[in-house]
Amino acid sequence: MNPAFQLCSVDKSFGSGESWTPALKQANFEGQPGEMLFLVGPSGCGKTTLLSILCGTLLADSGDINVLGNSLHRMNDREVTSFRARHIGFIFQQFNLIPTLTAEENVSVPLLIENKPADQARRLAAGLLEKVGLADKCREYPARLSVGQQQRVAIARALVHEPSLVVCDEPTSSLDSATGHQVMELLRDVARDGKRAVVVVTHDPRIYGYAERMAEMEDGRIQRWWNSPEEIAAAHAETLTERRQQ
Amino acid sequence: MTAIALKMLFGERAKVAMLVSGICFATILMVQGLSLGLGILATSYATAVNLKAPIWVASPLIDQVVMNNQPLLDTDVYRVRSVEGVAWAARLFVGGAQVRVVDRGGVSQNVTLIGLDTQTLAGAPTEFIAGSLNDLRQTDAVIVDASAMARLSPDPAVPLKIGETFEMNDRRARIVGVVQTSAATHGQAGYVFTTYDRAVQYVPAQRKMTTYVLAAPMAVHTAAEVARRISDATGLNAFTSDGIRKSSARWFIRNSPVPFVIGLIVGIGFAVGTVISGQTFFTFILENTRHLGVLRAMGTQTRRLARMILLQAMVAGLIGYGLGVGIISLVIAVAPANSPLKVQLPVLMAVLVPVLGICAVAALLGIRRMARIEPAIVFRS
Ligand SMILES: Nc1ncnc2c1ncn2[C@@H]1O[C@H](COP(=O)(O)OP(=O)(O)OP(=O)(O)O)[C@@H](O)[C@H]1O
Ligand SMILES: [Mg+2]
């Protein structure tokens, strides 16, 4: 099976002179279609930077970035932008819903970006809101929803245009434990459809149990892989033990 | 996406209100400034509108009908008449006079006194409300324009009536007709028309009393052609009636402080409108940086976002413009009838241009800001 994405020898630094920060150093990263892949590591190790390069919102300094059969490092801004519109679903820590749009309108935005007719977009959006359990909240504005509901709207928005890759940066960090689990269950049950890869960047050990594979980053590159839920569970237990000992 | 763009804008009531009122304010200032300016400008050449002559001949130093202190020789009318292609030529006196309606205890007021060629009454106004041109043949007869009938009366609600008399430069005059004219020069009660021979008796005698010579081309020639011939043959300044109106307007613009003041009002309207809406719109874009970043990240092309921003600015602008036009129309509707302020379609169209300009500037500021937004910001908290 071809990998869903493959990043080779990616370098990325920020700033210059005194403030020069290398965020990625010859980083390699790879994911398979249909898997739920976690990217973990200490703060500032470059997780968000790697995720941004993977989904085409950030340009690497060098390296090969092949995602869903596209060579992002050879594309211009216009092409990368259409690539994102077609293939990527986004889930953010801060949800990033547009406050002046209703839940349904927020969810329909990715379809409108792809020039789908408005009524079709609205129908599909309502359908997805129903899937995430918010059928009765279509006409609500984000401010009138709980944070958990807002993240569910964001999940519906990330999936409505059936992207092949969903990227999530700290999807549960703004949520309490119970809501976090609900959101992850939704991601596990709704986001995965056999072909779609889901990459979750997180700090949150409470949700490690949802990972199928996990990569640990340190100092700008991937240092360790756990290739099955069992390996992850073992590492998870370790982490918790370490924590208890501290 | 159009609907999304508009909802994003109109969701922010305070911003929209600010934006719309900035443009509304600018529209009001510009429309009323320009209307007032055009109204006053029109009074500058009113004489050339109210008198119906295809060709106007003046002294070589005079190119307007606003004020003329360089009269022609009384014999110049013969020189004009002898130019080939001239169908008729007639003397015209134009001067100031003071009118007082003694019977009603009125005070002295300035009027523009017009003396029409005694034989032919050539160039006389045509829109009679009462009486007729031939009534000018009666003793002391004068024809007065409708607005002067009201303004000369001590009580404008009870205008003068046909048959009433007044004193003009201390000599008796009797109203035999009323005509409709276009607005009189500022500070004047209006027009009084009489014959040339009588007019020159109402005012202090001078060596030269022919202010203009009015003329008409023969049917086979155009006025412009014959005017050129008159200028060439006599060395006098000959204009078509349209030509002297334009020339008068130009003279007025050069010589009166009014256009500068009007220009200032319009300029302030434009500047204030631009600053308010530019600033508000820029803030709107700035405060929406994250949402625009999300739209960018989710795959909206920069050009499309630019079009959305332009649309937002234009829609807010057109609403502000509509509101401004509505308000100024209401104000003008309740303004006194003789106010030079009138809503004119060309003014509204003319103001639409700077209003759209303001929106374009505001949109451009917003678009430049938007173009600097990196989609990668969406992952930063
Ligand atoms: N836009 C930027 N400008 C300057 N430095 C940046 C920028 N983005 C990231 N960095 C730096 O690059 C390094 C990696 O940042 P990144 O956000 O990828 O880390 P992270 O692993 O996501 O951290 P966290 O867990 O805190 O979110 C950090 O040292 C950070 O300060
Ligand atoms: Mg991060």
Side-chain angles (χ1 to χ4, degrees):
Chain A
M1 190 156 54
N2 282 332
F5 59 85
Q6 197 165 26
L7 280 63
C8 293
S9 315
V10 177
D11 281 319
K12 177 71 185 176
S13 60
F14 295 101
S16 58
E18 289 280 293
S19 66
W20 187 74
T21 322
L24 297 180
K25 303 169 187 165
Q26 295 287 304
N28 298 311
F29 192 41
E30 185 182 303
Q32 303 302 325
E35 75 174 343
M36 172 95 86
L37 175 57
F38 273 41
L39 184 58
V40 302
S43 186
C45 68
K47 303 183 296 294
T48 297
T49 307
L50 189 62
L51 192 73
S52 305
I53 288 173
L54 167 64
C55 69
T57 57
L58 190 66
L59 222 58
D61 295 341
S62 65
D64 286 0
I65 297 118
N66 293 296
V67 185
L68 306 166
N70 298 274
S71 304
L72 298 196
H73 53 286
R74 296 211 187 89
M75 288 181 163
N76 63 25
D77 180 69
R78 228 188 135 69
E79 290 162 341
V80 174
T81 305
S82 347
F83 162 84
R84 291 197 303 267
R86 217 168 321 124
H87 296 300
I88 309 290
F90 291 91
I91 295 172
F92 313 97
Q93 179 180 351
Q94 301 300 333
F95 323 136
N96 283 340
L97 298 175
I98 296 174
T100 44
L101 303 181
T102 62
E104 192 177 85
E105 287 163 344
N106 265 293
V107 175
S108 67
V109 166
L111 297 169
L112 298 173
I113 290 174
E114 287 193 275
N115 293 318
K116 293 271 172 4
D119 52 340
Q120 188 192 345
R122 204 173 327 111
R123 238 188 0 263
L124 289 170
L128 257 161
L129 281 169
E130 195 183 334
K131 265 195 184 172
V132 299
L134 292 176
D136 54 335
K137 303 289 183 194
C138 285
R139 300 281 146 79
E140 292 289 1
Y141 286 88
R144 306 217 15 207
L145 300 174
S146 71
V147 283
Q149 289 170 333
Q150 288 184 42
Q151 192 60 307
R152 275 145 72 190
V153 173
I155 290 173
R157 179 176 68 177
L159 300 178
V160 71
H161 55 310
E162 309 203 320
S164 305
L165 174 62
V166 175
V167 293
C168 319
D169 197 6
E170 313 274 6
T172 58
S173 297
S174 303
L175 306 174
D176 63 50
S177 176
T179 320
H181 280 292
Q182 283 170 17
V183 160
M184 287 313 296
E185 274 158 28
L186 252 183
L187 271 179
R188 187 186 59 198
D189 301 341
V190 180
R192 289 193 324 152
D193 69 347
K195 294 191 301 286
R196 180 181 297 143
V198 181
V199 180
V200 179
V201 163
T202 187
H203 263 132
D204 185 356
R206 296 173 306 186
I207 62 167
Y208 284 1
Y210 296 92
E212 289 173 330
R213 285 207 303 147
M214 187 182 273
E216 187 179 42
M217 263 191 109
E218 218 178 289
D219 198 19
R221 62 168 76 88
I222 308 284
Q223 299 288 7
R224 251 207 294 180
W225 281 97
W226 293 281
N227 284 313
S228 70
E230 294 72 33
E231 288 181 34
I232 297 166
H236 187 175
E238 257 169 51
T239 318
L240 290 184
T241 325
E242 275 170 32
R243 275 184 162 193
R244 260 183 232 116
Q245 285 166 354
Q246 276 167 8
Chain B
M1 286 308 262
T2 306
I4 297 289
L6 294 180
K7 266 208 93 173
M8 283 179 74
L9 177 66
F10 287 98
E12 300 195 26
R13 301 260 167 77
K15 285 274 160 16
V16 172
M18 190 79 180
L19 206 55
V20 165
S21 51
I23 289 169
C24 172
F25 177 71
T27 303
I28 289 176
L29 270 184
M30 290 191 285
V31 166
Q32 79 96 25
L34 274 183
S35 302
L36 195 65
L38 279 190
I40 295 175
L41 194 63
T43 67
S44 73
Y45 54 79
T47 301
V49 174
N50 293 332
L51 294 168
K52 315 294 177 193
I55 295 172
W56 288 66
V57 185
S59 132
L61 299 171
I62 295 294
D63 61 356
Q64 37 78 19
V65 295
V66 187
M67 55 182 291
N68 184 344
N69 49 12
Q70 299 286 326
L72 300 165
L73 291 170
D74 286 354
T75 51
D76 282 336
V77 64
Y78 306 120
R79 294 171 62 209
V80 173
R81 206 170 279 163
S82 67
V83 173
E84 204 197 320
V86 171
W88 55 259
R91 285 190 190 111
L92 181 73
F93 171 83
V94 180
Q98 296 234 313
V99 164
R100 192 159 69 92
V101 186
V102 183
D103 296 346
R104 297 205 190 191
V107 295
S108 276
Q109 293 195 61
N110 293 321
V111 296
T112 300
L113 176 61
I114 305 282
L116 301 162
D117 181 87
T118 308
Q119 274 77 50
T120 61
L121 300 177
T126 49
E127 293 165 48
F128 275 82
I129 293 171
S132 78
L133 192 54
N134 273 327
D135 295 334
L136 267 191
R137 309 280 179 205
Q138 300 166 23
T139 335
D140 295 338
V142 295
I143 291 169
V144 177
D145 80 73
S147 79
M149 292 294 272
R151 287 210 221 174
L152 288 172
S153 163
D155 179 1
V158 189
L160 303 184
K161 289 194 295 289
I162 288 240
E164 277 197 76
T165 59
F166 54 70
E167 279 185 2
M168 185 152 58
N169 292 359
D170 298 326
R171 287 186 40 146
R172 200 179 106 96
R174 192 163 56 85
I175 304 168
V176 298
V178 179
V179 287
Q180 188 66 50
T181 63
S182 108
T185 313
H186 183 68
Q188 303 251 326
Y191 285 91
V192 173
F193 301 90
T194 186
T195 63
Y196 181 89
D197 289 349
R198 219 172 283 138
V200 300
Q201 286 171 6
Y202 277 114
V203 297
Q206 281 175 354
R207 192 168 61 84
K208 298 193 278 187
M209 296 293 263
T210 303
T211 325
Y212 300 94
V213 169
L214 301 182
M218 288 173 172
V220 291
H221 301 292
T222 66
E225 201 179 306
V226 174
R228 207 173 316 116
R229 265 192 225 163
I230 294 171
S231 295
D232 292 347
T234 61
L236 301 173
N237 234 351
F239 297 86
T240 63
S241 90
D242 189 50
I244 203 157
R245 283 179 212 178
K246 289 192 174 131
S247 172
S248 300
R250 278 196 296 273
W251 185 90
F252 183 78
I253 289 169
R254 276 198 311 276
N255 289 282
S256 158
V258 171
F260 175 76
V261 173
I262 297 295
L264 210 59
I265 294 177
V266 174
I268 289 173
F270 182 77
V272 170
T274 306
V275 169
I276 295 181
S277 16
Q279 160 71 27
T280 310
F281 202 67
F282 186 77
T283 317
F284 168 70
I285 297 299
L286 207 61
E287 288 175 3
N288 274 283
T289 297
R290 177 154 282 261
H291 307 134
L292 291 168
V294 170
L295 291 178
R296 279 284 286 140
M298 292 197 305
T300 318
Q301 299 289 355
T302 321
R303 272 164 150 227
R304 192 176 198 179
L305 283 177
R307 281 205 304 275
M308 285 169 68
I309 289 173
L310 189 66
L311 176 82
Q312 290 169 332
M314 289 297 165
V315 168
L318 287 179
I319 291 174
Y321 171 80
L323 205 63
V325 167
I327 290 174
I328 193 89
S329 303
L330 263 175
V331 170
I332 289 175
V334 301
N338 59 12
S339 133
L341 214 52
K342 302 256 182 315
V343 181
Q344 302 175 67
L345 198 59
V347 169
L348 299 186
M349 301 311 275
V351 168
L352 193 53
V353 175
V355 162
L356 292 181
I358 291 174
C359 297
V361 170
L364 204 70
L365 287 172
I367 287 169
R368 279 179 39 152
R369 186 67 192 75
M370 178 277 292
R372 295 214 312 272
I373 298 174
E374 293 285 340
I377 62 153
V378 292
F379 290 122
R380 312 264 161 229
S381 42

